[in-house]
C-alpha cells in the first residue's frame, strides 16, 4: 500500500487547490525540487506530480519544474497534466518519469491510451476525475456524460498500470476520501486503483488498511501533509504494518 505525496505545480510553484479551482491556490513551496527531496527524506517511496497549468492548457507548462524534481529525487515519479500525445508520453518517459497519467485524452481518445500502454508497458496510468459521479476533463473545467466505472472498463485488458480516481468535490477540502465510490471502482475493474481527493487525517490512513481497501494500490495526500494534519512517520508505519502510537481522527 503506497502513500503518494502530491506536488501540484502552478506557475512553477508547489500549490494546493480547492475543488480544482485555480483561483483558490495556496502556495506551499516555491521550490518544488526541494519539496520532492523533503518527501524522499521523510520516507516516502513514490511521488505524484500534476502540472495544473498544463491540465488547463492541454500541453506541458511546468516542464522545467518537473525536470528539477526528477533530478532532485531518486523516488519514482508519476506525472499528469497536459499530456495528450504519444510523442509527449515518450519524451517524458525518456526524461526519467516512472509513469505518465492520462486524463482528458482517456475520454477524448481512448485508442491513444491503448496504443501508449502497448508501446510503454507498465508506464501509463489513467486519471479519472469525477464530479457528481461523472467524469470531468480539461483540468476539471468541463463535465462529460461518462460515468466513472463506464470509463474505467474501457481500459480493461489494455495494460493500464493504475487508475487514479479523484472525487473533485472532496479535493483539497480535507473531508476524507470517498471510500465507497473508490472501493466500488476497485471492485468493478481488475486495474489497480489509487484513491485521491480529500485525504484528511490518520483515520484515512487507517482506513487504507481495512480488508476491503487492501485491493487498492494506495492513496494520494496533499494538503493534509502540507498542513501537518498527517505525520509522515506515523502514516508510513501504519501502512507498513507497524501499529501507530496513536490514532487521531
Amino acid at each position: 500500500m503506497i502513500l503518494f505525496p502530491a506536488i501540484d505545480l502552478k506557475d512553477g510553484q508547489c500549490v494546493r487547490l480547492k475543488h480544482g479551482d485555480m483561483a483558490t491556490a495556496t502556495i506551499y513551496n516555491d521550490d518544488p525540487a526541494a519539496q520532492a527531496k523533503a518527501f524522499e527524506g521523510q520516507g516516502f517511496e513514490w511521488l505524484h506530480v500534476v502540472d495544473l497549468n498544463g491540465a488547463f492548457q492541454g500541453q506541458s507548462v511546468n516542464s522545467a519544474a518537473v525536470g528539477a524534481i526528477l533530478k532532485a529525487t531518486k523516488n519514482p515519479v508519476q506525472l499528469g497534466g497536459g499530456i495528450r500525445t504519444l510523442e509527449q508520453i515518450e519524451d517524458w518517459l525518456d526524461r526519467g518519469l516512472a509513469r505518465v497519467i492520462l486524463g482528458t485524452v482517456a475520454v477524448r481518445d481512448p485508442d491513444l491510451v491503448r496504443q501508449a500502454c502497448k508501446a510503454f508497458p507498465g508506464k501509463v496510468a489513467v486519471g479519472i476525475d469525477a464530479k457528481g459521479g461523472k467524469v470531468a476533463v480539461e483540468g476539471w473545467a468541463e463535465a462529460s456524460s461518462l460515468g466513472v466505472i463506464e470509463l474505467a472498463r474501457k481500459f480493461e485488458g489494455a495494460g493500464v498500470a493504475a487508475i487514479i480516481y479523484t472525487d473533485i468535490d472532496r479535493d483539497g477540502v480535507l473531508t476524507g476520501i470517498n471510500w465507497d465510490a473508490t472501493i466500488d471502482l476497485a471492485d468493478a475493474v481488475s486495474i489497480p486503483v489509487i484513491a485521491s481527493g480529500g485525504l484528511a487525517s490518520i483515520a484515512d490512513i487507517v482506513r487504507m488498511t481495512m480488508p476491503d481497501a487492501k485491493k487498492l494500490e494506495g492513496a494520494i495526500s496533499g494538503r493534509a501533509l502540507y498542513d501537518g494534519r498527517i505525520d509522515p512517520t506515523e502514516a508510513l508505519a501504519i501502512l507498513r504494518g507497524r501499529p501507530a502510537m496513536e490514532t487521531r481522527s
Side-chain angles (χ1 to χ4, degrees), residues 61-225:
V61 175
N62 289 287
S63 50
V66 177
I69 287 169
L70 290 170
K71 290 179 181 177
T73 181
K74 296 174 183 167
N75 283 345
V77 177
Q78 60 185 23
L79 172 69
I83 303 172
R84 307 281 169 87
T85 69
L86 284 172
E87 292 76 17
Q88 290 171 335
I89 293 166
E90 182 173 18
D91 179 61
W92 275 119
L93 294 174
D94 285 346
R95 292 178 64 178
L97 280 183
R99 62 189 177 198
V100 297
I101 304 164
L102 304 180
T104 294
V105 75
V107 176
R108 305 277 197 234
D109 188 359
D111 283 342
L112 185 143
V113 177
R114 297 185 190 100
Q115 292 172 34
C117 289
K118 187 176 292 187
F120 311 106
K123 295 184 178 295
V124 177
V126 167
I128 299 181
D129 307 321
K131 188 173 182 64
K134 297 297 183 181
V135 177
V137 295
E138 303 293 348
W140 303 353
E142 296 179 21
S144 76
S145 60
L146 277 175
V148 172
I149 291 173
E150 179 186 1
L151 177 60
R153 284 180 170 160
K154 289 177 181 284
F155 302 109
E156 284 280 38
V160 171
I163 290 173
I164 297 158
Y165 171 61
T166 303
D167 185 327
I168 297 170
D169 292 321
R170 297 185 181 227
D171 187 71
V173 293
L174 301 167
T175 54
I177 283 173
N178 186 340
W179 290 109
D180 290 344
T182 302
I183 291 169
D184 284 349
L185 174 59
D187 285 339
V189 296
S190 61
I191 304 164
V193 173
I194 299 170
S196 174
L199 194 148
S201 68
I202 287 293
D204 277 318
I205 303 298
V206 173
R207 182 67 180 84
M208 291 168 68
T209 69
M210 297 296 104
D212 63 345
K214 287 189 175 179
K215 66 191 71 168
L216 302 176
E217 180 173 301
I220 293 167
S221 180
R223 189 175 292 268
L225 281 173

